[in-house]
């Protein structure tokens, strides 16, 4: 079992729709969680951190479910520019490393 | 803004060559990382460094070495390039200020092809 698992997609979603995807992690001691966004042939960029109480940044909402060991990302009113691969990242405690999911590809269609 | 600069966007080398990939960051970050990214596999950590002259193996260090002589520079070396090292290589840096949970900032990546 991979340490961080994501549905690779692609998710094909019409513009304006709401889309959500999850990411599961295997290490119950993980402490920090992030969503990164990666455009085609570009480097990953931090989208948002995921806090225990859940957090929102504009149209994006991130949730953490420790009991079931997953995090989620919800995008409301999706835009064409949201098309990208979304990478789930987990950081174990007292460790410099990040554990990366393989990414979920999202395609927003007009 | 954090700036992480990788020396080349595209590089073509031959099997058996020694290859150097350079990475420089301008934010005085303590931590630096080298990853490779292959389709369907996500980012895999090759080596990382948390201080000058310090290095730690990541998940796939075989066939690679690194050098960190200065805080801002982290070099990845392919001792004798092989075709299975054809990949996208990404350098990242992060700070340990304000606790140990800082996001990583990436360079543009180097797409390396070994012929």
């Amino acid at each position: 079992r991979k340490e961080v698992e994501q549905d690779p997609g692609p998710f094909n979603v019409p513009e304006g729709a709401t889309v959500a995807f999850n990411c599961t992690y295997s290490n119950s001691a993980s402490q920090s969680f992030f969503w990164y966004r990666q455009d085609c042939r570009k480097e990953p960029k931090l989208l948002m951190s995921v806090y225990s109480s859940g957090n929102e940044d504009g149209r994006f909402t991130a949730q953490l479910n420790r009991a079931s060991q997953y995090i989620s990302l919800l995008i409301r009113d999706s835009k064409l520019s949201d098309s990208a691969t979304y990478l789930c990242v987990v950081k174990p405690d007292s460790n410099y490393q990040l554990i990366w999911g393989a990414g979920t590809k999202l395609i927003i269609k007009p | 803004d954090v700036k992480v600069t990788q020396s080349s966007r595209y590089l073509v080398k031959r099997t058996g060559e020694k290859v150097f990939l350079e990475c420089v960051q301008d934010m005085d970050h303590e931590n630096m990382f080298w990853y490779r990214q292959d389709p369907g596999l996500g980012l895999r950590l090759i080596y990382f460094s948390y201080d000058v002259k310090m290095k730690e193996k990541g998940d796939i260090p075989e066939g690679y070495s690194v050098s960190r002589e200065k805080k801002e520079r982290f070099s990845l070396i392919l001792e004798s390039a092989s075709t299975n090292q054809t990949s996208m290589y990404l350098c990242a840096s992060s700070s340990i200020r304000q606790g140990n949970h800082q996001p990583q900032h990436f360079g543009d990546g180097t797409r390396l092809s070994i012929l």
Side-chain angles (χ1 to χ4, degrees), chain A:
Chain A
R1 183 186 171 190
K2 290 182 182 178
E3 290 188 72
V4 176
E5 290 202 69
Q6 295 183 252
D7 183 340
F11 284 50
N12 291 284
V13 175
E15 191 176 7
T18 295
V19 59
F21 28 84
N22 291 341
C23 158
T24 58
Y25 61 94
S26 61
N27 185 347
S28 60
S30 298
Q31 291 297 312
S32 300
F33 307 88
F34 306 94
W35 283 103
Y36 277 70
R37 171 199 169 121
Q38 186 172 24
D39 293 304
C40 187
R41 296 186 174 272
K42 297 277 195 175
E43 77 279 16
K45 292 184 179 178
L46 178 67
L47 178 64
M48 59 196 302
S49 301
V50 185
Y51 302 120
S52 297
S53 55
N55 49 297
E56 193 173 301
D57 182 2
R59 298 181 292 107
F60 297 82
T61 301
Q63 296 276 350
L64 168 63
N65 185 317
R66 284 194 185 275
S68 300
Q69 293 182 209
Y70 74 85
I71 66 172
S72 64
L73 179 68
L74 180 103
I75 306 173
R76 288 181 298 278
D77 187 23
S78 53
K79 312 289 184 192
L80 296 177
S81 57
D82 294 334
S83 297
T85 295
Y86 291 84
L87 304 172
C88 170
V89 186
V90 174
K91 188 176 187 303
D93 191 24
S94 63
N95 190 309
Y96 295 102
Q97 296 190 42
L98 297 178
I99 311 298
W100 295 76
T104 296
K105 186 170 185 177
L106 175 65
I107 301 172
I108 306 299
K109 301 199 166 185

Side-chain angles (χ1 to χ4, degrees), chain B residues 94-107:
Chain B
S94 70
S95 169
I96 60 170
R97 285 191 289 273
Q98 301 173 17
N100 201 27
H101 306 308
Q102 293 299 307
Q104 295 184 3
H105 301 269
F106 285 83

